[in-house]
Amino acid sequence: MKIKELPFKLPNKFIAYKPFDASRISILLAQESLCKEIYENFLHFRIEKEIEKENIKLDCHFNEEFSSIGVKKVPIDIITDLGIDFITFCRTAIEKDFYIFLPIETFEVSNYINYKKKYRPHHIFIYGYNNEKEVFYCSEFFSFDKGIYSSETVTYREMEEAYYKLQTELESKVMLNEWAQWMKDIQLLHSFREYNDKFNIKRLILGLQNFLEENDCYGNKNYIKDVFYGFAIYDLIIEYINNILKSSKSNFDIKSLSLIFYRFRYMKLQAQFIQENYSKYNQSIQSIIDSYWEMEEKSYNALKLAIKFSISHEKNILNKVINLIEELKKNDYIVTINYIECLKNII
């Protein structure tokens, strides 16, 4: 086959926080019948806290598992040991209807603008190929001026170089760390045509309650050391900011604030979905939608302040961020409680 593209739709109006959730949503939005589980799943996320030389680092992830998307992990070392041709492997996977979620060294890909100035391992999402032009159809955070998450073509040669460059530079001592294991796996994603959509209002209420109680999607709390869930994000971010205020650090990792921003955007879309499909004329739901829209705007302001601090290094800016986070925490709790009550009235 000379050309093949798997069904794909950019998720920029939804969530494009990290390649993991952006790739999954790209598949979900392209499914013939949208998996409603999408409106439940992104309630759940985890925040991993790491302390390194008294400095706090936060790594935040949305829940990426869906009943309508199958995931098969292929260890890269096995492909290398067997001498399997990389380009042939990718084309064969796409021919068999598998999307490819691939760890690469972005510096080797000329289409990157965001990461081109320095070496940076990252995932890229491949959903098709053109054998005549010798390119893969991909999506990633290539260039923010084209939208946060965009599509590009990457040549076979550059993709192969980016793939092998990362693998040849990985040191064995780095791979002893659990966080680094993603660089040794290729994920093959498959969109199921038939699946059991688990979404219902009762599950949504349970998810919101787990969020408020700082539980994971299964109702567990403090199950893994230094891994936090749901509403715990507010106190963690405040702790992170206070850590910067007490230190000489001038760098601010904005991913945790981006998580809050995307969460409110997602919750607004979720509430709109509930209104359109379960309770069209419910004014209470409309007030919930309006509240999430307002909190989305405030969280975006906090995000802009954090970026401003990273440029100016004026630490008084961070006190404004803390004030906004505390306000969002208070409002989020009230709105979530009201949202749960609205949903109970719908059942």
Side-chain angles (χ1 to χ4, degrees):
M1 190 176 292
K2 294 182 178 180
I3 301 173
K4 182 164 183 178
E5 282 187 69
L6 297 177
F8 167 86
K9 185 176 180 181
L10 283 171
N12 282 337
K13 293 183 180 179
F14 212 91
I15 292 176
Y17 171 66
K18 284 189 175 183
F20 292 90
D21 47 77
S23 62
R24 271 63 173 177
I25 292 177
S26 296
I27 297 173
L28 291 167
L29 292 176
Q31 287 178 347
E32 290 183 13
S33 177
L34 179 65
C35 177
K36 291 187 293 183
E37 195 181 0
I38 195 173
Y39 291 103
E40 176 194 351
N41 228 47
F42 288 107
L43 271 173
H44 305 291
F45 50 81
R46 68 187 186 278
I47 310 103
E48 301 167 20
K49 182 175 78 169
E50 181 182 347
I51 299 177
E52 187 178 286
K53 296 180 180 179
E54 299 185 353
N55 291 324
I56 294 175
K57 294 170 62 178
L58 300 182
D59 195 9
C60 310
H61 303 271
F62 280 105
N63 189 2
E64 299 122 14
E65 296 180 2
F66 287 89
S67 61
S68 65
I69 299 177
V71 182
K72 299 182 184 297
K73 290 187 178 181
V74 181
I76 287 172
D77 286 343
I78 290 179
I79 295 176
T80 304
D81 291 346
L82 292 176
I84 298 173
D85 178 71
F86 171 73
I87 303 299
T88 302
F89 170 81
C90 291
R91 287 201 308 250
T92 303
I94 293 167
E95 285 168 11
K96 294 185 178 296
D97 295 331
F98 284 104
Y99 302 83
I100 303 167
F101 199 52
L102 182 72
I104 61 167
E105 172 50 69
T106 58
F107 193 86
E108 301 299 320
V109 177
S110 58
N111 285 5
Y112 275 101
I113 294 176
N114 295 336
Y115 307 136
K116 187 59 185 168
K117 294 182 180 179
K118 60 181 180 180
Y119 287 93
R120 184 185 179 95
H122 218 247
H123 275 107
I124 194 167
F125 184 63
I126 306 174
Y127 61 91
Y129 69 85
N130 185 320
N131 221 23
E132 293 179 339
K133 297 181 179 180
E134 296 191 345
V135 297
F136 289 111
Y137 298 113
C138 309
S139 62
E140 233 281 59
F141 299 92
F142 288 108
S143 172
F144 290 155
D145 63 347
K146 294 183 179 179
I148 293 174
Y149 193 73
S150 57
S151 295
E152 296 277 355
T153 57
V154 177
T155 65
Y156 287 175
R157 181 184 60 81
E158 285 192 348
M159 188 70 78
E160 189 171 32
E161 288 179 356
Y163 165 74
Y164 283 119
K165 181 72 171 178
L166 176 60
Q167 296 307 311
T168 54
E169 291 192 341
L170 290 177
E171 300 177 12
S172 57
K173 62 180 181 180
V174 172
M175 296 313 300
L176 294 175
N177 296 315
E178 188 177 348
W179 64 266
Q181 295 308 306
W182 65 270
M183 292 184 281
K184 281 290 185 181
D185 284 328
I186 297 175
Q187 292 187 22
L188 301 181
L189 309 179
H190 183 70
S191 179
F192 294 124
R193 297 183 183 276
E194 296 182 7
Y195 53 86
N196 293 320
D197 199 329
K198 301 176 182 178
F199 178 89
N200 60 59
I201 299 295
K202 288 183 179 180
R203 284 178 62 90
L204 183 54
I205 291 172
L206 180 59
L208 289 164
Q209 290 171 336
N210 280 329
F211 169 82
L212 284 182
E213 294 167 9
E214 302 177 3
N215 298 332
D216 66 12
C217 58
Y218 305 109
N220 298 314
K221 186 172 184 177
N222 299 330
Y223 191 70
I224 304 174
K225 186 178 183 295
D226 289 333
V227 177
F228 303 82
Y229 303 92
F231 204 66
I233 190 172
Y234 294 107
D235 289 341
L236 274 175
I237 292 177
I238 291 171
E239 181 183 0
Y240 172 74
I241 296 172
N242 282 324
N243 180 257
I244 296 174
L245 287 169
K246 293 175 184 176
S247 70
S248 58
K249 283 178 62 179
S250 58
N251 180 53
F252 193 110
D253 189 339
I254 64 169
K255 288 196 290 291
S256 57
L257 293 181
S258 296
L259 180 87
I260 291 182
F261 167 74
Y262 277 113
R263 182 186 114 73
F264 288 134
R265 171 177 288 186
Y266 164 74
M267 293 304 298
K268 178 185 68 179
L269 291 171
Q270 184 205 86
Q272 287 174 341
F273 173 79
I274 296 297
Q275 184 185 56
E276 292 168 4
N277 293 274
Y278 294 89
S279 186
K280 285 190 176 181
Y281 305 107
N282 190 324
Q283 289 301 313
S284 298
I285 290 290
Q286 184 58 52
S287 68
I288 298 296
I289 295 169
D290 295 340
S291 295
Y292 280 129
W293 182 86
E294 291 172 7
M295 288 189 286
E296 180 186 341
E297 290 294 302
K298 285 183 180 178
S299 62
Y300 186 57
N301 289 336
L303 186 59
K304 288 191 292 186
L305 284 171
I307 295 171
K308 184 177 179 181
F309 163 74
S310 296
I311 297 170
S312 69
H313 303 158
E314 296 177 12
K315 289 199 171 183
N316 63 306
I317 294 173
L318 294 182
N319 292 315
K320 296 178 182 178
V321 177
I322 289 175
N323 290 337
L324 278 171
I325 296 302
E326 289 177 338
E327 183 181 353
L328 286 168
K329 177 184 176 182
K330 179 181 177 181
N331 292 344
D332 194 7
Y333 185 84
I334 294 170
V335 172
T336 304
I337 290 291
N338 291 338
Y339 189 21
I340 289 172
E341 291 305 310
C342 288
L343 293 171
K344 287 179 178 178
N345 291 331
I346 293 173
I347 297 176

